[in-house]
Amino acid sequence: MRSTLFLLPFLPAALASRPFLNEPDTGIEDVLGDTPAGTLPDLERIVGLPDFEWAARRYMNASSYTYYRNGAAGEWSYRNNLEAYGRFRFKPRMLVDVTNIESTLPTTILGHNFSAPFYISPCARGGLAHPEAEKNFVKAAYEEDILYIPSLYASLSVDEIAAAKPSNGSQTIFQQVYLTENDTETKQLFEKVEKLGSKAIVFTVDSAADGNRHRAARYGVGSADSSYTYITWDYYKKLQNMTSLPVVLKGIQSVEDVKLAVAHGAPAVILSNHGGRQLDGTPSPLEIALEIHEEAPELFEQIEIYADGGVRYGADVLKLLALGVRAVGLGRPFMFANTYGVEGVRHAIQLLKHEIAIDAGNLGVGDLKKLDASYVKWTNNGWYS
């Protein structure tokens, strides 16, 4: 009995270590739990990004939902992506004028102006959630003035996605790519996306082999890129010579590789572990950004660094920005929001903009450009370890 009592003080921390697999319990089940399966609750009742997954899981068929939701192996990296943000506490400042915080949300990404420091990350098969598929991302991103990066394995072709943009050419889109060893095909692809108006190429480098996705295998919805792929720094230099567009590296997971990206003239990198879908045990983007901050903070000045993975709240965005990340990508939340069509994607963007602004205000940040690492206690307090 005595040994059991000794352990009691530690139980809350242990139980809190993995409090949820999907979305947290914020009362949505109590209020919307009677929504019939296969239908969606009214959009105005969706109050945060996690609500979209709750709704999508009840609305989509199991295999389509699983394709968006799955992670590698035991899904520890998937869960860690979500939980990493909760391990670090803010250090709010009071008596600060925050009344103009919304006006400071705009940022630039590779010199292009956007209304907020986040973007829609590349995700495949948007058509699993809505018949208009990626058209909804194009339209909502344009209307809300944020960046959208289509996946090469989108439900729609690069031509169809380009055709969904406004005809005045005012929308900026980057194009994500997976590549084969066929240089002729690669050059043709680069020429095509440049002709269609893409302003940058985002080369995914964290998918050199098939992802070990147990959940996906049960439903037959594995990775769209399942072959071993030849990816080296020499190959990256070759790619840079095939196009006049900047080639961004997506999937960097260590400070060493960020240094190599700088050495090889990369214009930007995206810190990402592929949403925890490729290799279990990989670090979250927040942990990678923290490693850079601690070991080589000058890198944030030498190259544009973005991050994606596990972001669900405005507070998550702020923690990444505080370390020096320029812009933050979100994938799954927008895929689930797409069950509502363009209105759902637009609502998700608006919710996140609002959360970033009010969370920054409560943090005592009057200008998002002045947010820095001093606003967060970068020590793991063990609550969610």
Side-chain angles (χ1 to χ4, degrees), residues 16-20 78-87 310 384:
S17 63
R18 301 204 177 273
F20 56 92
Y78 164 81
R79 297 175 72 171
N80 183 58
N81 279 4
L82 293 167
E83 296 166 356
Y85 300 97
R87 289 199 286 270
Y384 296 92

Side-chain angles (χ1 to χ4, degrees), residues 50-73:
D51 292 0
F52 284 110
E53 180 167 359
W54 183 93
R57 189 167 62 255
R58 289 155 178 76
Y59 174 74
M60 300 175 71
N61 64 58
S63 63
S64 295
Y65 168 76
T66 297
Y67 180 77
Y68 291 162
R69 162 61 182 81
N70 76 87

Side-chain angles (χ1 to χ4, degrees), residues 120-140:
I120 302 176
S121 293
C123 293
R125 302 179 183 176
L128 294 178
H130 194 276
E132 290 294 291
E134 289 79 17
K135 290 181 182 179
N136 296 327
F137 301 129
V138 175
K139 294 175 182 178

